[in-house]
Amino acid sequence: MSILGKLKDLQCMAKRLQGVDNRLSLEKPHVIQFPVNDICNSSCQMCNVWQKKLDSQISTADLAVILSNRLFAEVSGVGLNGGEPTLRKDLPEIASILVARLPKLRTISLITNALNAENVIAQIDALGVGLQDSNKIFSVMVSLDGVGDVHDRVRGRAGSFENAVRVIEHCLVSSAVDRLHLGCTVIRENIFGLHDLLDFAILKGVHIKFRLGIPHQRLYADELTEPFALSSAEKLHFGMFLEGAIRLYETSEIQKFFYRSLVDQLLNGSPRKAGCDWQHRGVTLSARGELLYCAVESDVLGSAIDCDSEKLYFNNKKHLHEIVASRCADCKHDYVGLPSPRVAARHFLVSLLDRLGLPLTQNRRRRISASINSITGARTFAKRLKAYRNIAEDLEKSSKWAPEEQNRKMRVLVVGWYGTETLGDKAILGGIVGVLRNSYSAIDIHLVSLDQTVSAVTLEQMPDLGDISICNVEDGLKLLTDIDLLIFGGGPLMAIDNMAEMQVFFEKAKHLKKKSVVAGCGVGPFGRQYHNQAIKAVLSSAAIRIYRDHKSLYNAQSIGISTNTDLVVEDPAFAWLQTSLSALPIAHNVENDGKFRLLLGLRDWPVEQYAGHFSRAKAYRIKEHFEECLIEFLIEIATKHKNLVLVPFPMCTNSHGGDDRWYLRSLLRKIPSLKDRFNTSYLSKELTPAEALNVFRMADAALAMRFHSLVFALDASLPTVAIDYTLGRGKVTSLAESYQVPHRSLEKIDTEFLVKEMTAIISSPKKVIPVKPATFPAMFGKVLRERFR
């Protein structure tokens, strides 16, 4: 789209923002969705077109007449789909008519299942060659729903993937194709194969879009349910995948906004925010020559062959308004269009910078974001703190329990970083809840979550936690008047904006004279002053403070906390792990296959969080050097030990903590020579904590970077080498030293150290590291019995 076109869109958005009615004025369509036929040679799970037989379909003569109507004078893009559009032998003639009859046409897009590769390639070449002299853009999208058998199962035809690859590889080198994309329809069958598919697309150098499969009337699938009935865990998996795509893959601001809207719909039940051209400037022309607004919800407006298309389109506004008012908020279809004014303005700015030769690169985005945050961060945090304080002050007592209740249960409210939990956070919660249940015969536990969908999946994964209620922050504040005990449940008290909520919880609990405890927490990393003040406020408001290491105690002292009566124990996750090691089923025995399994508990290094004391240039040099050493180490150790299997394992599968699956996969792509040496089984579907523990049991050694990868490795008695990404100032070094684990700070890492230490482990008989008995249950239990009865 031209700059003038974008300016027009911005003007349209400004009018929309000023108006009371959020509907955009109906205008002549800019885009036509044109299913050229209603038959298909595939047998897809999410579509029933393949069950239909050919009846009537629009002729090229009728199409020429239809497109001569004034309604189509502004059309700039046409999407040819089906059915399977390449089954029409006259497809090149259809394209010629589009060019001849649509004066403002710029792009023709073709979507194909690529099942009959030979025919599809011939049709693509014929279309592309025919369009070359017309100065139009020819875009091809190949539908690809998985790698190998996954795609074949979704499409219901053996050989589908093989044929799709043939078409993709042809389009990559064909001068007839201007743009090539892949399109994935996400259903239950392929939802845990999305990461593999994205890897395939990246290695091929082809952009891919992901759309959620939905009941669809044009595809005769409006009554299908099973392919689309995602479980809460499947929805969360897709949501986290899209969050990663937004952050690390997708470049289009409009597509990012659509993904964000879809994630919000899936995980929070929110109404659709993404724009849609079919609400005001899009039209569907069916294979039979019928006119509709959108293909998902619109009734047939009439025959464009027999009637005036312009009248059909503009005289049925009432039907369109009914769709917008009653259907669009729930629609998850991948239509896009004008988004909110803020996103439209950002999209325009990015496009303008690109045209001026100043692209908004990832590093430039980071610098802009950091500059804005340094100016507005304190003010934003203060507003956040004030908002939650106001909620706490304004809440009327709404007791969940009757005052006269006899022998009532102990009422406990657990807060922390739940809703963003890593595997380690889940083990921490298991350790804390285990002590609580052992300490009180009758207990009622409420978990405050920053994202209830995430925490609900955690509870599904951990039935040993028993019956726990989940609530959001506001509802948690309501419960403060009735609880007996408030717990900050493990993890670090660190410099992030969500410290505002934690500060309000502990300040309000102290004001209400409620018992409170910081249970097995780290302290740090520190950050801006307002964050550090919030950390201090939580610690000073807590009646009891239990740290997970002495470094955290010293950090608390450094911000003015008197620690004379404070306690230090190991991380609460140890308590859950030691209980689980004896209670869980034994892992499948793989000791006799001659392989040595090296588990890689690695993560992307969050430069902004841990290298703020360096210049940005130096911090990124350290990061680059570390990754070079890591790659050199993996190549050298795998070359030296032919029986070595590398097992990358994600400790965090939540986008808020930096989803390790994305980093580990990007690392693997940089070492194609070791492709066959990696076991990538754990880089897609999230494992339950019990399943994860079994993976550690099956390994022979570990390279641990994530703190809780070291915790899990130690509790599984794995010989381990540790990398301290906190640069020797925090939890990893402290834990490694207490167990005499070889370790080195990230900025001092070299290949020689890693190879030497790991070779010593591989070359020696497996050394069992004695696990220290967990003291957290006894210490925390004692506090509960003596202070919180």
Side-chain angles (χ1 to χ4, degrees):
M1 184 182 291
S2 67
I3 293 292
L4 287 176
K6 291 183 183 298
L7 284 171
K8 182 180 177 183
D9 283 352
L10 283 173
Q11 184 182 31
C12 183
M13 284 286 87
K15 290 179 180 178
R16 177 181 176 184
L17 184 63
Q18 294 167 1
V20 176
D21 191 344
N22 200 38
R23 292 176 303 200
L24 293 164
S25 299
L26 186 62
E27 56 184 281
K28 287 185 177 181
H30 292 210
V31 60
I32 301 174
Q33 179 178 215
F34 183 18
V36 297
N37 61 6
D38 207 24
I39 55 171
C40 190
N41 53 352
S42 208
S43 305
C44 301
Q45 293 186 28
M46 61 282 188
C47 170
N48 282 333
V49 170
W50 56 275
Q51 297 184 16
K52 302 296 176 180
K53 293 183 179 180
L54 179 64
D55 47 26
S56 64
Q57 63 182 17
I58 190 171
S59 68
T60 51
D62 285 337
L63 178 63
V65 173
I66 290 171
L67 296 182
S68 299
N69 190 279
R70 290 174 300 178
L71 176 67
F72 304 103
E74 299 295 326
V75 170
S76 60
V78 178
L80 303 177
N81 51 59
E84 170 50 39
T86 60
L87 295 178
R88 283 199 66 152
K89 292 183 172 59
D90 58 356
L91 199 57
E93 186 179 350
I94 288 175
S96 297
I97 293 169
L98 294 173
V99 171
R101 299 293 178 172
L102 300 175
K104 294 191 177 181
L105 181 67
R106 294 185 66 248
T107 303
I108 292 178
S109 303
L110 174 74
I111 300 178
T112 175
N113 63 21
L115 180 60
N116 185 338
E118 185 175 344
N119 177 63
V120 171
I121 289 170
Q123 287 279 44
I124 287 172
D125 285 348
L127 269 170
V129 170
L131 291 172
Q132 283 177 341
D133 294 334
S134 64
N135 199 31
K136 309 301 180 191
I137 297 169
F138 179 42
S139 175
V140 175
M141 176 177 281
V142 176
S143 295
L144 194 68
D145 302 320
V147 177
D149 290 344
V150 177
H151 180 65
D152 288 2
R153 291 198 303 271
V154 172
R155 294 282 155 174
R157 295 288 298 273
S160 293
F161 179 73
E162 181 182 346
N163 279 281
V165 172
R166 282 183 60 195
V167 173
I168 291 165
E169 290 178 344
H170 174 80
C171 290
L172 284 169
V173 298
S174 173
S175 60
V177 178
D178 297 304
R179 296 174 183 167
L180 174 65
H181 299 276
L182 306 180
C184 171
T185 301
V186 180
I187 59 173
R188 298 196 72 181
E189 184 69 65
N190 64 347
I191 197 159
F192 293 118
L194 301 182
H195 292 87
D196 290 336
L197 180 57
L198 180 61
D199 273 351
F200 172 88
I202 291 172
L203 290 172
K204 286 290 183 184
V206 186
H207 181 262
I208 184 168
K209 292 182 180 179
F210 297 89
R211 61 170 71 93
L212 182 67
I214 61 171
H216 196 311
Q217 67 172 6
R218 183 179 68 79
L219 305 180
Y220 308 103
D222 44 335
E223 294 185 3
L224 279 179
T225 56
E226 175 57 26
F228 315 125
L230 303 183
S231 68
S232 54
E234 290 166 340
K235 288 179 182 178
L236 180 60
H237 177 84
F238 187 35
M240 291 300 104
F241 175 81
L242 290 180
E243 290 282 8
I246 292 166
R247 188 169 60 91
L248 298 169
Y249 176 70
E250 183 56 59
T251 58
S252 164
E253 293 298 322
I254 298 296
Q255 190 65 27
K256 286 182 183 180
F257 189 70
F258 169 74
Y259 284 162
R260 287 193 183 97
S261 174
L262 182 56
V263 170
D264 213 18
Q265 286 181 280
L266 270 176
L267 301 187
N268 303 318
S270 302
R272 178 186 175 110
K273 299 183 183 70
C276 175
D277 279 338
W278 278 261
Q279 290 182 336
H280 69 112
R281 61 177 192 182
V283 72
T284 300
L285 180 63
S286 80
R288 298 174 183 83
E290 302 155 328
L291 209 66
L292 304 86
Y293 291 118
C294 77
V296 181
E297 296 289 353
S298 175
D299 293 339
V300 173
L301 306 180
S303 170
I305 298 172
D306 301 325
C307 304
D308 183 335
S309 295
E310 189 173 36
K311 289 181 178 178
L312 289 176
Y313 183 79
F314 285 105
N315 289 354
N316 283 282
K317 290 181 184 178
K318 183 178 179 182
H319 177 49
L320 178 60
H321 292 167
E322 288 172 352
I323 295 171
V324 173
S326 62
R327 311 278 183 85
C328 288
D330 296 325
C331 180
K332 300 179 181 69
H333 195 273
D334 67 325
Y335 287 139
V336 295
L338 294 178
S340 68
R342 178 181 61 81
V343 173
R346 178 181 174 84
H347 181 57
F348 171 72
L349 174 62
V350 170
S351 300
L352 181 60
L353 289 173
D354 284 342
R355 286 175 178 267
L356 295 175
L358 299 169
L360 204 56
T361 61
Q362 195 70 17
N363 283 340
R364 188 170 286 134
R365 289 172 196 264
R366 288 194 187 104
R367 289 198 294 273
I368 292 172
S369 178
S371 300
I372 292 172
N373 190 50
S374 66
I375 297 170
T376 64
R379 189 186 320 144
T380 301
F381 187 82
K383 287 182 178 178
R384 187 187 194 105
L385 190 60
K386 182 179 179 181
Y388 282 107
R389 279 175 173 163
N390 288 340
I391 291 172
E393 290 300 322
D394 293 343
L395 290 173
E396 297 180 4
K397 183 172 180 179
S398 178
S399 180
K400 175 179 170 61
W401 299 278
E404 67 276 4
E405 190 178 352
Q406 297 296 317
N407 299 318
R408 64 174 178 77
K409 296 179 179 180
M410 182 74 172
R411 304 160 182 166
V412 180
L413 190 65
V414 180
V415 301
W417 310 131
Y418 299 103
T420 65
E421 53 258 39
T422 64
L423 179 58
D425 293 324
K426 295 173 185 181
I428 288 170
L429 182 62
I432 290 171
V433 170
V435 176
L436 287 169
R437 296 201 184 281
N438 288 333
S439 300
Y440 303 108
S441 57
I443 188 168
D444 199 331
I445 302 174
H446 287 259
L447 181 69
V448 176
S449 176
L450 304 174
D451 188 328
Q452 292 170 269
T453 303
V454 174
S455 296
V457 171
T458 293
L459 296 190
E460 288 177 8
Q461 294 176 343
M462 301 180 72
D464 51 310
L465 292 180
D467 186 21
I468 295 178
S469 299
I470 305 173
C471 61
N472 60 25
V473 172
E474 185 170 335
D475 288 338
L477 288 169
K478 290 179 184 178
L479 291 174
L480 273 176
T481 55
D482 292 305
I483 64 163
D484 300 299
L485 175 61
L486 172 67
I487 296 176
F488 188 96
L493 290 161
M494 59 184 176
I496 59 175
D497 284 350
N498 291 112
M499 279 304 307
E501 291 97 297
M502 304 305 129
Q503 180 176 345
V504 173
F505 271 109
F506 275 80
E507 286 178 342
K508 188 67 175 176
K510 185 176 182 180
H511 174 73
L512 294 170
K513 295 183 171 54
K514 300 294 181 179
K515 300 165 185 175
S516 62
V517 58
V518 170
C521 292
V523 178
F526 294 132
R528 300 188 184 278
Q529 185 178 6
Y530 53 88
H531 286 142
N532 299 344
Q533 287 298 322
I535 295 171
K536 181 178 180 180
V538 170
L539 290 171
S540 59
S541 298
I544 294 290
R545 294 178 290 271
I546 305 175
Y547 306 107
R548 68 183 175 196
D549 52 44
H550 284 91
K551 180 65 177 176
S552 295
L553 181 141
Y554 300 147
N555 283 345
Q557 289 175 347
S558 73
I559 56 173
I561 300 298
S562 175
T563 60
N564 294 336
T565 61
D566 293 354
L567 305 171
V568 177
V569 295
E570 77 290 324
D571 190 271
F574 277 105
W576 180 82
L577 286 166
Q578 291 186 14
T579 300
S580 300
L581 275 169
S582 58
L584 292 175
I586 299 298
H588 177 62
N589 189 348
V590 294
E591 292 181 357
N592 298 323
D593 66 356
K595 303 293 185 182
F596 189 97
R597 290 166 176 78
L598 173 58
L599 189 143
L600 305 174
L602 305 171
R603 66 165 299 174
D604 191 17
W605 187 45
V607 171
E608 289 79 8
Q609 194 171 357
Y610 289 97
H613 55 297
F614 293 136
S615 69
R616 178 173 293 274
K618 181 176 180 180
Y620 276 95
R621 280 199 303 272
I622 291 171
K623 179 182 173 76
E624 184 178 345
H625 174 72
F626 161 67
E627 293 187 350
E628 287 174 355
C629 290
L630 187 60
I631 289 171
E632 289 172 0
F633 158 71
L634 292 173
I635 292 173
E636 187 170 338
I637 202 75
T639 302
K640 185 179 292 188
H641 301 279
K642 300 300 182 182
N643 66 333
L644 185 68
V645 177
L646 301 169
V647 186
F649 188 83
M651 296 298 294
C652 177
T653 55
N654 192 297
S655 61
H656 294 288
D659 189 335
D660 295 338
R661 292 171 295 191
W662 286 78
Y663 174 70
L664 291 167
R665 283 177 175 273
S666 70
L667 183 68
L668 269 56
R669 289 195 295 270
K670 295 174 184 176
I671 324 175
S673 61
L674 296 184
K675 179 181 177 182
D676 295 334
R677 305 293 293 276
F678 282 102
N679 175 359
T680 60
S681 303
Y682 311 115
L683 295 183
S684 295
K685 183 179 179 180
E686 181 188 44
L687 270 60
T688 69
E691 292 168 337
L693 184 51
N694 272 338
V695 174
F696 277 82
R697 281 175 166 179
M698 290 188 292
D700 297 292
L703 178 63
M705 186 172 171
R706 283 275 188 188
F707 173 73
H708 280 102
S709 68
L710 180 54
V711 172
F712 271 63
L714 290 171
D715 231 74
S717 298
L718 279 185
T720 302
V721 177
I723 300 169
D724 188 354
Y725 67 90
T726 68
L727 306 187
R729 298 177 297 158
K731 52 192 177 182
V732 179
T733 290
S734 179
L735 181 60
E737 288 176 346
S738 69
Y739 274 86
Q740 298 182 321
V741 169
H743 63 280
R744 187 164 289 185
S745 181
L746 181 142
E747 85 277 21
K748 297 177 181 177
I749 280 290
D750 59 68
T751 306
E752 183 182 355
F753 165 77
L754 292 173
V755 171
K756 175 186 173 184
E757 296 297 342
M758 194 55 68
T759 298
I761 290 173
I762 296 172
S763 303
S764 323
K766 186 170 180 179
K767 179 183 176 182
V768 177
I769 301 174
V771 183
K772 302 172 183 177
T775 57
F776 177 79
M779 190 79 75
F780 187 36
K782 183 179 178 182
V783 168
L784 294 177
R785 290 190 300 273
E786 293 180 355
R787 299 286 301 274
F788 299 140
R789 280 291 176 190

